[in-house]
Amino acid sequence: MARVLMVNPVFYRLLGSRYNANSLGIAYVASMLNHNGHDAWLYNADYVNERSFIKLKQIFEQFNDYKKYFEDENHPIWKEQVDNIVEFNPDWVGFFCYTANLTTVKILSKKLKEILPKVKQVVGGPHATMDPELLKKIPTLDYAVKREGEFAMLRLVNGENPKIISGVASRNALGFIHDNGDADVIKPVEQLPFPERRKFWKIPEEERKYVDVSYVVTIRGCMYRCSYCASPEHWKRDKTQLRDPENVLAELKHIKENYWDQVKEYDYSASANITDKDKLVIKDNSLIYYVDDIFTIKKDRVKKILQGMIDEKLNMPFKAEMRTDHLDPEICKLLKEANCVRAKIGIETGSPRLLKEILKDETREEIIAGCRMLEDAGVPYTAYLMTGFPGETDDDLRQTISLAKSIKAEYYSLSIMSPYFGTKIYRDLIKKGYPLDKAPDHYFYHQSSNMMVNDTISKEVLEEYLNLNDLNKGKGYI
C-alpha cells in the first residue's frame, strides 16, 4: 500500500478569493487508488474556512496581481503548502495543473524535491495534457499524465514500467523523456468509482461537513469547438464520454444518503442563495453542481436525468452549465420541476460577427430564445459574458450589452478574454507574434479589467459592460 497525496495547488487565494469545493479531477484519481488498496487523500490548498465571498465586481475592483507571489519563492504561502505535504509523509504526490498554476507547481515541486527527494511527483490536468514540454520545464517532476488519469496513476503507483503505461510521460536516469501520448479513453466511464469525498488532508473533521462535495460530472469532454476554450484540445471533441443517466442518478442517491444526512450551514462554493449586497453569504450547502461543460448537450439524455430526479423524489436543488440552443420548453419545464435553482448560460458575446469568429456555433437569436424559455419556465439563470476578443470593437461590445439588457438574467458573470494555453485563439495569437508562449500562466486576467489582446474597445463602453450587474439592483446571484 502506498500513501498518495493528490494536490490542488493554491490559485484562487492568490487572487483574494478561495475554492472550497471538492476538486473532481484529483478526487476521481484518489478514489481509484483507494478502491485498489492504497491510501490516497486530497489536499486543497485553496480551502479557507470562512463564511463569505466577495462579489465578482469587487474582485475586479481590488484585483490581486498573483504574479507578485511568484517573485518571492520564500513567501509564506509556498512554505505552508510544502509543510502540509511533507507532514502527510507521502510516497507519491500528484499535482493537478491548470495553466494558471503552472509556476505554482514549479515552485512547490522544487521545494518538495529538496526535502523529500525520494518521493515520486506526478502532474496531471489540462496543462499537463496540452503541453508536451512540461517535464522539461519542471525538471523536478518525475511523471506527467495526459488526459484521463485514473488508470495511469494506479498503474504508476502499482509499480508498473512507465514506458508501457498509456498517457504517461517519464524521464530516465539520464534525463531523456519518454512520452506515451494521451491516455486511452476510459470505456465505459461508468466503471469508475464515484469520486473521493471524505479524505481531506489538513481539514479538521469538524470542518469537513462544510466542504462542498456535491459537485458531479456527467460528461467528460465537449463536442463543440469554441476557439477561446481549452476543452476541445484537452478532452478531444471526438472522445467525449456521456455517463448513463442511471449511473448519474445512483451517484445523486449516494451523495444524499452519505453527505446530506447532517446539518450544513454554508456552501463555500458560493453557489446558492445570497442575501448581502457586498458579500456572498451562503445559507445552505445542499446543492448539486453539475460541472459538465454542457449539461444539456443531449436532449433525450438530460430529460431522462431530470425525470429520474423527479420520479425518485430526490428533491436536490442543483445548478448546471448550459447552452441555449440545447433547450426546449419541455427541458425547461423539467429543469424547474427537478429544482434547478441556477442555469449557467454561456453567452460570451451578443455580436453575430464575433459569435461566428469564435466558432460558438450558436446565434444571437438562439441565445435570446433560450433565455426566454428559461424565463417562461421560472428557472433562474446567470448569463456568462466575455469581452476583449482580438478585433472586438465598441459596436461588438454594445451588442453584448444590448443583449444582456434584453434578457432577464439574475446575474451577469463578466470576464475579460484570456487566451488559454492550447486554445485556437492562443495559437492564432502566437502566429501573429504575441509573446504568449513565454509565460502563459502569467496572464490569467479574468478578474482584471485590463485588456490583454484588445486595444480598440473604449474605456467608456468597457465600464458600461462591467456595470451590467447594477441593472439587477444588487440581487447578488452568481
Side-chain angles (χ1 to χ4, degrees):
M1 178 184 76
R3 279 180 64 78
V4 184
L5 189 61
M6 302 300 301
V7 179
N8 182 54
V10 69
F11 172 66
Y12 286 100
R13 284 172 60 197
L14 305 183
L15 291 173
S17 186
R18 57 198 151 278
Y19 177 77
N20 283 19
N22 195 20
S23 181
L24 286 181
I26 59 174
Y28 266 104
V29 174
S31 181
M32 175 65 82
L33 293 170
N34 287 327
H35 276 75
N36 285 273
H38 299 289
D39 186 19
W41 289 65
L42 306 171
Y43 171 41
N44 178 11
D46 261 334
Y47 173 85
V48 178
N49 181 10
E50 292 186 12
R51 295 185 178 189
S52 62
F53 283 69
I54 60 175
K55 279 189 178 182
L56 185 62
K57 184 178 179 182
Q58 286 179 279
I59 296 178
F60 272 108
E61 292 172 347
Q62 59 190 54
F63 175 69
N64 262 351
D65 188 347
Y66 64 93
K67 296 193 301 295
K68 293 179 181 178
Y69 289 93
F70 302 153
E71 297 169 1
D72 180 9
E73 294 190 9
N74 294 314
H75 192 283
I77 203 162
W78 309 127
K79 185 178 187 302
E80 169 200 314
Q81 293 171 83
V82 172
D83 286 350
N84 286 339
I85 295 171
V86 170
E87 183 183 341
F88 181 81
N89 191 26
D91 300 306
W92 291 77
V93 171
F95 291 107
F96 184 78
C97 186
Y98 286 116
T99 297
N101 53 29
L102 179 61
T103 299
T104 295
V105 171
K106 185 174 183 178
I107 293 171
L108 297 179
S109 176
K110 176 185 175 183
K111 290 181 174 294
L112 185 61
K113 185 65 73 173
E114 292 172 351
I115 301 171
L116 298 175
K118 294 184 179 180
V119 170
K120 295 297 184 182
Q121 298 185 30
V122 187
V123 64
H127 195 89
T129 296
M130 295 185 292
D131 187 354
E133 303 295 314
L134 186 54
L135 289 186
K136 294 180 181 178
K137 295 174 182 176
I138 308 181
T140 49
L141 291 170
D142 299 292
Y143 307 101
V145 174
K146 301 184 178 184
R147 283 190 92 251
E148 298 173 273
E150 290 86 356
F151 283 103
M153 188 67 176
L154 176 61
R155 293 176 68 184
L156 278 173
V157 175
N158 282 345
E160 293 188 35
N161 183 350
K163 290 184 178 180
I164 64 171
I165 303 176
S166 170
V168 170
S170 59
R171 68 175 89 249
N172 63 19
L174 298 176
F176 294 107
I177 295 173
H178 182 86
D179 191 336
N180 292 328
D182 289 350
D184 296 332
V185 175
I186 296 175
K187 292 184 178 181
V189 70
E190 291 81 9
Q191 69 182 288
L192 294 174
F194 297 149
E196 178 60 52
R197 289 186 167 98
R198 290 194 187 278
K199 299 171 74 172
F200 299 113
W201 182 243
K202 297 306 295 181
I203 298 179
E205 185 67 35
E206 62 272 16
E207 287 184 33
R208 289 180 189 173
K209 62 184 179 181
Y210 301 138
V211 177
D212 191 345
V213 297
S214 299
Y215 281 31
V216 175
V217 61
T218 81
I219 303 172
R220 289 193 163 198
C222 179
M223 300 174 182
Y224 282 89
R225 55 176 184 153
C226 303
S227 64
Y228 54 86
C229 180
S231 187
E233 180 67 21
H234 173 217
W235 285 106
K236 312 299 184 188
R237 293 170 60 206
D238 60 344
K239 296 181 180 180
T240 300
Q241 295 286 295
L242 288 76
R243 288 173 59 191
D244 182 84
E246 290 301 318
N247 184 252
V248 175
L249 292 169
E251 184 174 4
L252 296 181
K253 294 175 187 176
H254 171 76
I255 292 171
K256 188 169 186 180
E257 291 169 2
N258 292 279
Y259 303 97
W260 284 18
D261 58 352
Q262 55 191 321
V263 176
K264 298 185 179 182
E265 299 177 10
Y266 305 108
D267 171 5
Y268 285 103
S269 68
S271 56
N273 295 320
I274 314 303
T275 57
D276 187 271
K277 295 178 73 172
D278 297 319
K279 292 186 177 181
L280 309 180
V281 181
I282 310 305
K283 294 180 178 179
D284 189 344
N285 186 40
S286 298
L287 181 77
I288 292 293
Y289 182 10
Y290 291 114
V291 293
D292 309 325
D293 285 340
I294 308 172
F295 177 60
T296 52
I297 199 165
K298 292 289 185 183
K299 289 185 177 182
D300 290 343
R301 174 183 172 276
V302 77
K303 288 176 183 178
K304 288 179 181 178
I305 294 174
L306 296 173
Q307 191 63 58
M309 295 179 72
I310 297 166
D311 294 344
E312 296 286 346
K313 296 181 172 57
L314 292 180
N315 190 28
M316 300 175 81
F318 69 95
K319 64 177 182 176
E321 319 277 343
M322 306 178 195
R323 281 174 59 111
T324 54
D325 57 346
H326 286 283
L327 299 176
D328 60 32
E330 181 183 0
I331 287 178
C332 292
K333 179 174 179 289
L334 289 172
L335 286 169
K336 181 65 175 180
E337 291 181 10
N339 205 5
C340 177
V341 297
R342 178 69 48 211
K344 306 180 76 174
I345 305 299
I347 294 173
E348 321 318 342
T349 177
S351 163
R353 180 184 73 84
L354 282 181
L355 285 169
K356 291 180 180 178
E357 192 167 298
I358 65 177
L359 307 178
K360 181 72 173 173
D361 294 335
E362 193 173 18
T363 67
R364 182 184 173 100
E365 292 72 26
E366 287 173 327
I367 291 169
I368 294 174
C371 291
R372 294 281 186 269
M373 287 184 228
L374 290 171
E375 293 162 10
D376 291 344
V379 178
Y381 66 94
T382 291
Y384 282 76
L385 304 173
M386 192 183 304
T387 190
F389 293 103
E392 183 177 3
T393 66
D394 278 359
D395 286 342
D396 290 317
L397 184 52
R398 287 192 184 100
Q399 290 180 79
T400 299
I401 295 169
S402 69
L403 188 154
K405 291 180 176 179
S406 74
I407 60 177
K408 298 177 181 179
E410 298 270 2
Y411 189 83
Y412 302 101
S413 182
L414 308 171
S415 293
I416 304 300
M417 199 286 297
S418 299
Y420 286 175
F421 180 88
T423 62
K424 182 180 185 302
I425 280 183
Y426 174 89
R427 294 192 298 270
D428 289 347
L429 289 169
I430 290 292
K431 291 178 182 177
K432 293 179 180 179
Y434 284 82
L436 301 179
D437 56 334
K438 294 182 179 177
D441 58 323
H442 285 193
Y443 53 79
F444 191 84
Y445 283 154
H446 271 324
Q447 277 68 56
S448 165
S449 58
N450 295 332
M451 287 291 180
M452 295 183 55
V453 295
N454 183 296
D455 58 4
T456 57
I457 294 175
S458 67
K459 291 183 179 180
E460 293 76 18
V461 180
L462 178 61
E463 186 67 19
E464 185 179 356
Y465 165 80
L466 294 175
N467 287 328
L468 274 172
N469 279 307
D470 291 345
L471 299 173
N472 289 328
K473 306 302 181 185
K475 285 184 180 178
Y477 289 86
I478 192 167

